[in-house]
Amino acid sequence: KMGMILADVRDLGVGLVMIGGENSFGAGGYEGTPVEEALPVTMDIKQKKINPKGALVLVLHTCEFPDGNYWAKEISKKAIETVNSQDDVGVLLYGNREEWLFELRPADNKKLLYSKIDQASPGDMPSFAPTMQLAYVALSKSDAMVRHVIIISDGDPSPPDPKLVKDIAAAGITVSTVAINPHSPRDVDVMKYLAYETGGRYYFADNPEVLPRIFVKEAKVVKRSLIFNKKFQP
């Protein structure tokens, strides 16, 4: 559909107006799309005086279904593809222990980040607490205007201490959770708790093919850093 809009504007002279808001321009995820090509503006903010950014941390728990870790890698790359080059991204997982695949860093070299993800092998995380603590410490130190965490899991790791969850919410860090192949209602409850207590969203994915769409939607949360709600002099 976006390709058709571009063709109509470029080849047929059709007029196109985009009005600003949280679902348009860079905040709406139009950077790098045919709609950006059709418009006389770019979606990335170039001015040195205005350099807003968001910060996104992905927490990957091994996905216990066929090709689970393949999907974990694909959705991670899709999320990173969505953020702007000045946004910070980091990936946490369980290897021999809870650890960073790569710590928060600007997404200006996405090919390098993709290669690191391709080499990853997320394991069966015993507890949410260590990875959420690592994410909390890193994001608390970040100067990003919007700080967001996405966790994909079956929900069976032990839940974190409620104080940590409250600290995350108090710091203005939101957590969205994506449950896939949960083993019990308790697992679902844990995932819902982490999301709702921090102002994030909970998703239940009954088909891995919906995962990229969910992660693109959630990665767009950091693009809210592009929105300035204040008076200005044109």
Side-chain angles (χ1 to χ4, degrees):
K1 291 179 180 178
M2 288 190 284
M4 292 171 64
I5 290 174
L6 171 60
D8 285 348
V9 173
R10 181 188 60 209
D11 303 331
L12 303 178
V14 171
L16 174 63
V17 175
M18 177 175 277
I19 299 173
E22 64 180 16
N23 293 316
S24 61
F25 295 107
Y30 285 96
E31 183 181 3
T33 69
V35 169
E36 180 183 34
E37 188 177 345
L39 290 169
V41 296
T42 60
M43 303 300 177
D44 207 0
I45 295 178
K46 309 289 186 186
Q47 294 94 328
K48 296 298 182 183
K49 290 183 180 180
I50 305 175
N51 191 29
K53 69 176 182 180
L56 176 67
V57 172
L58 305 174
V59 178
L60 306 180
H61 178 202
T62 185
C63 298
E64 297 174 10
F65 61 92
D67 298 322
N69 280 349
Y70 162 80
W71 281 104
K73 295 175 183 181
E74 289 302 300
I75 57 184
S76 299
K77 290 188 284 186
K78 200 68 179 176
I80 291 172
E81 177 186 321
T82 303
V83 303
N84 292 324
S85 58
Q86 76 269 20
D87 293 328
D88 290 338
V89 292
V91 175
L92 283 160
L93 46 71
Y94 183 81
N96 296 322
R97 64 184 189 281
E98 292 84 356
E99 59 189 353
W100 290 98
L101 177 62
F102 53 84
E103 296 189 37
L104 273 180
R105 55 176 294 166
D108 54 355
N109 187 346
K110 295 185 178 181
K111 287 185 178 179
L112 174 63
L113 302 185
Y114 296 159
S115 67
K116 289 180 178 293
I117 290 171
D118 284 335
Q119 297 168 23
S121 182
D124 193 6
M125 191 162 56
S127 171
F128 284 120
T131 48
M132 292 188 69
Q133 177 69 30
L134 288 168
Y136 168 61
V137 171
L139 290 171
S140 295
K141 297 176 181 177
S142 171
D143 60 352
M145 294 178 63
V146 178
R147 296 166 294 170
H148 190 49
V149 179
I150 310 174
I151 299 173
I152 181 169
S153 173
D154 57 17
D156 69 357
S158 301
D161 188 286
K163 183 181 182 304
L164 174 59
V165 178
K166 290 181 179 179
D167 289 344
I168 289 172
I173 300 167
T174 53
V175 179
S176 287
T177 59
V178 183
I180 186 160
N181 198 35
H183 306 305
S184 71
R186 172 265 180 200
D187 298 341
V188 172
D189 290 342
V190 169
M191 299 289 277
K192 287 181 177 179
Y193 163 72
L194 297 177
Y196 297 158
E197 290 296 313
T198 59
R201 285 151 299 280
Y202 163 77
Y203 300 87
F204 173 72
D206 56 1
N207 181 342
E209 292 185 5
V210 306
L211 291 173
R213 189 162 66 246
I214 291 173
F215 270 67
V216 166
K217 177 181 177 181
E218 282 301 309
K220 287 180 180 178
V221 168
V222 302
K223 290 181 177 286
R224 292 177 188 163
S225 63
L226 295 171
I227 300 172
F228 289 82
N229 187 14
K230 62 183 180 180
K231 294 181 180 179
F232 68 96
Q233 178 63 45

